[in-house]
Amino acid sequence: MRENWKSMVITAILAALASGAATWATATWVMQERQPPNLHSVVHEQLDLSAEQDRQLDVIEARFAAQRPALEAEVRAANRELAAAIAASNGDTPQVQAAVDHFHVAMGDLQKATIAHVFEMRSVLTPGQAEVFDEAVVEALRHDAG
């Protein structure tokens, strides 16, 4: 009887491990399949850029890469401010509302800068390249929207 019990426990453990591994593998595969191509890879791998376009895009990307950390830091600071205001309040206080407003402004600034960057990149492309680029941008936005 004891041997049967051990066998059942070992079988249950192995089945649980196999099930967990299969679930993880499937979820990983599904998430990879659902990801739209990265905009950087679309631009540099699918658009057949000229040397001049590549140079112009490098300048644009470097400029945005220098600007973006400060914008993201402001979003994080606004988020911390909101967390502190909520922790210190007993409800929807003027401090909480001010922190919410700060967060919205910071997020808006980041989004506006990102959109300006996308359109600046697009301005370097030919009409055919811009069509592929636009499709990738729209797909990325749709994917992020869920």
Side-chain angles (χ1 to χ4, degrees), residues 80-103:
R80 285 190 301 273
E81 179 185 323
L82 178 57
I86 289 171
S89 76
N90 288 328
D92 194 10
T93 64
Q95 292 79 14
V96 169
Q97 283 305 306
V100 167
D101 292 342
H102 180 202
F103 181 78

Side-chain angles (χ1 to χ4, degrees), residues 20-95:
T23 300
W24 175 82
T26 302
T28 300
W29 177 76
V30 167
M31 290 306 291
Q32 286 175 349
E33 290 295 311
R34 293 194 64 216
Q35 296 292 326
N38 175 299
L39 195 55
H40 183 82
S41 68
V42 168
V43 169
H44 292 283
E45 296 170 15
Q46 295 180 22
L47 294 185
D48 193 27
L49 299 171
S50 70
E52 178 59 20
Q53 286 175 310
D54 209 19
R55 187 197 63 72
Q56 290 176 323
L57 288 168
D58 284 346
V59 170
I60 291 168
E61 289 173 337
R63 187 172 41 249
F64 186 63
Q67 179 187 23
R68 190 167 135 187
L71 293 165
E72 290 174 341
E74 188 61 27
V75 170
R76 287 189 302 276
N79 200 33
R80 285 190 301 273
E81 179 185 323
L82 178 57
I86 289 171
S89 76
N90 288 328
D92 194 10
T93 64
Q95 292 79 14

